[in-house]
């Protein structure tokens, strides 16, 4: 009986994961949507079919209520072949308690931005939050409310079922899965910035290794997001720059996909920017986006 149960459970998990379509994507994390020729060529060369575009952040106001911050402007448009996914970053302290009407206001703001900027055929939104065990329940309840508001938000002819996704950090793999359609697994910012002399805080295989055995058990479909950015910080008057070597990214990618093969289906890089594009050779991007 136990063997039958295990087989059925395994089949159901594979069936669920298959719902996440194969494709290449990027995050866009600047405050103005404006693409140069290098960035447009990148989208075409690597067959990018989704852009997770940060619309705005949500931070706590002095009055103790969530408020939008750093809203994007749209000076440019994406190619028609690319799906835009409005993405909102919410600071964790916004989830320390429930805020009545917050989810509905957030969805309405996204819909208004789409309408104002003639952005059509949006079928998905993504919420980014570094939730903890303290804020998890409030955040998951919030996601359910966002989903309900998004489902009612606008007619979606021929777009299929509207979707909600959320970011998943490695430490969140040990928690119950959130009530969304899939997660974008953030395989970056894995280390402690205060220990920068010991390990690269953007990505180090040694920081990823302890989480590898959790991947295959995680029930939510997952896209994999890899870093192509770098940090420049001032620490006690000393300029410190962090860049991840291509070999390290590919080593981590190989290890992740060995534990969970479907992580190669949907690949995202963070984030689209000419400087980031030029940081790595085309062969590196080909390997990152290899399915």
């Amino acid at each position: 009986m136990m063997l039958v149960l295990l087989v059925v459970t395994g089949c159901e998990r594979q069936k669920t994961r298959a719902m996440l379509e194969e494709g290449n994507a990027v995050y866009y994390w600047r405050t103005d949507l404006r693409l140069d020729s290098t960035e447009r060529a990148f989208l075409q060369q690597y067959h990018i079919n989704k852009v997770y575009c940060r619309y705005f952040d949500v931070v706590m106001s002095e009055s103790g209520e969530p408020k939008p911050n750093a809203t994007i402007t749209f000076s440019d448009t994406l190619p028609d072949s690319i799906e835009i996914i409005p993405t909102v970053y919410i600071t964790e302290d916004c989830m320390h308690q429930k805020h009545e009407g917050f989810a509905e206001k957030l969805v309405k703001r996204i819909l208004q931005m789409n309408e104002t900027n003639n952005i059509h055929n949006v079928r998905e939104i993504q919420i980014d939050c570094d939730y903890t065990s303290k804020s998890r329940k409030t955040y998951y309840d919030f996601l359910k409310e966002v989903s309900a508001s998004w489902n009612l938000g606008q007619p979606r002819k021929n777009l299929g079922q509207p979707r909600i996704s959320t970011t998943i950090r490695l430490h969140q793999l040990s928690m119950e899965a959130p009530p969304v359609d899939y997660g974008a697994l953030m395989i970056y910012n894995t280390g402690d910035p205060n220990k920068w002399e010991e390990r690269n805080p953007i990505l180090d295989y040694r920081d990823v290794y302890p989480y590898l055995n959790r991947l295959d058990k995680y029930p939510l479909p997952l896209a994999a997001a890899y870093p192509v950015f770098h940090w420049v910080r001032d620490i006690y008057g000393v300029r410190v720059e962090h860049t991840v070597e291509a070999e390290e990214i590919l080593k981590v990618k190989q290890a992740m996909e060995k534990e969970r093969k479907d992580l190669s289906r949907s690949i995202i890089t963070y984030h689209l920017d000419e400087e980031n594009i030029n940081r790595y050779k085309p062969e590196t991007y080909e390997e990152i986006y290899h399915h």
Side-chain angles (χ1 to χ4, degrees):
M1 183 66 176
M2 180 61 72
L3 179 60
V4 173
L5 180 61
L6 288 173
V7 171
V8 171
T9 302
C11 290
E12 285 301 314
R13 182 183 298 165
Q14 291 302 322
K15 182 179 177 182
T16 302
R17 291 180 186 176
M19 292 167 57
L20 193 59
E21 65 271 17
E22 187 174 289
N24 298 338
V26 294
Y27 277 106
Y28 189 91
W29 219 256
R30 309 201 308 253
T31 53
D32 184 20
L33 182 63
R34 187 192 300 268
L35 303 179
D36 63 21
S37 58
T38 300
E39 292 157 356
R40 287 190 177 276
F42 180 90
L43 295 176
Q44 184 174 11
Q45 181 176 354
Y46 298 102
H47 309 288
I48 304 300
N49 59 4
K50 291 182 182 179
V51 171
Y52 295 84
C53 183
R54 188 204 66 87
Y55 271 34
F56 53 92
D57 299 337
V58 178
V59 299
M60 286 295 286
S61 67
E62 292 181 0
S63 64
E65 291 296 321
K67 69 170 185 178
N69 184 55
T71 301
I72 194 172
T73 56
F74 292 88
S75 300
D76 210 341
T77 58
L78 292 171
D80 291 338
S81 60
I82 294 179
E83 177 183 356
I84 188 169
I85 301 174
T87 302
V88 177
Y89 170 71
I90 301 176
T91 59
E92 192 263 345
D93 57 350
C94 292
M95 293 296 150
H96 288 178
Q97 65 183 58
K98 179 179 173 63
H99 299 279
E100 201 65 43
F102 177 21
E104 185 179 357
K105 290 175 183 176
L106 181 141
V107 170
K108 281 184 176 179
R109 194 167 204 271
I110 291 172
L111 293 173
Q112 286 170 354
M113 290 177 66
N114 288 342
E115 184 177 352
T116 300
N117 296 284
N118 294 314
I119 299 170
H120 306 292
N121 301 330
V122 174
R123 63 171 180 151
E124 177 186 335
I125 57 177
Q126 183 172 105
I127 308 297
D128 176 16
C129 181
D130 190 4
Y131 59 91
T132 63
S133 55
K134 175 182 178 181
S135 54
R136 181 189 62 81
K137 185 180 185 309
T138 301
Y139 182 58
Y140 286 13
D141 289 343
F142 168 77
L143 289 174
K144 291 175 184 175
E145 293 175 5
V146 169
S147 182
S149 294
W150 183 238
N151 284 327
L152 295 172
Q154 63 178 348
R156 296 175 176 82
K157 296 186 224 174
N158 304 319
L159 290 179
Q161 184 68 23
R163 301 200 300 187
I164 302 289
S165 60
T166 188
T167 49
I168 305 288
R169 288 153 178 82
L170 292 176
H171 72 88
Q172 294 164 344
L173 289 172
S174 62
M175 302 181 193
E176 177 187 339
V180 293
D181 295 290
Y182 72 92
L185 185 61
M186 287 176 51
I187 311 169
Y188 51 90
N189 295 347
T190 58
D192 185 345
N194 296 318
K195 298 180 179 178
W196 58 271
E197 291 177 304
E198 301 170 23
R199 298 184 187 182
N200 190 324
I202 298 176
L203 182 65
D204 189 300
Y205 174 79
R206 293 169 292 178
D207 291 319
V208 174
Y209 178 79
Y211 299 98
L212 292 177
N213 62 1
R214 298 179 184 174
L215 283 173
D216 196 50
K217 299 182 182 75
Y218 197 72
L220 200 64
L222 292 173
Y226 295 97
V228 293
F229 65 95
H230 79 306
W231 281 353
V232 178
R233 299 186 302 152
D234 242 341
I235 302 178
Y236 309 119
V238 178
R239 179 184 167 89
V240 178
E241 182 170 349
H242 301 294
T243 302
V244 186
E245 296 295 330
E247 293 76 12
E248 192 74 4
I249 299 172
L250 299 177
K251 178 182 178 181
V252 169
K253 182 176 188 286
Q254 183 180 28
M256 304 284 280
E257 292 174 2
K258 182 179 178 182
E259 294 297 323
R260 181 166 170 153
K261 289 183 172 53
D262 65 351
L263 269 184
S264 68
R265 287 187 59 80
S266 183
I267 304 293
I268 315 169
T269 56
Y270 181 92
H271 59 102
L272 183 66
D273 181 85
E274 181 182 9
E275 186 178 352
N276 293 336
I277 292 170
N278 293 330
R279 181 167 295 112
Y280 298 99
K281 296 178 180 178
E283 308 90 82
T284 299
Y285 276 107
E286 287 169 7
E287 283 296 316
I288 291 174
Y289 282 119
H290 181 71
H291 296 285

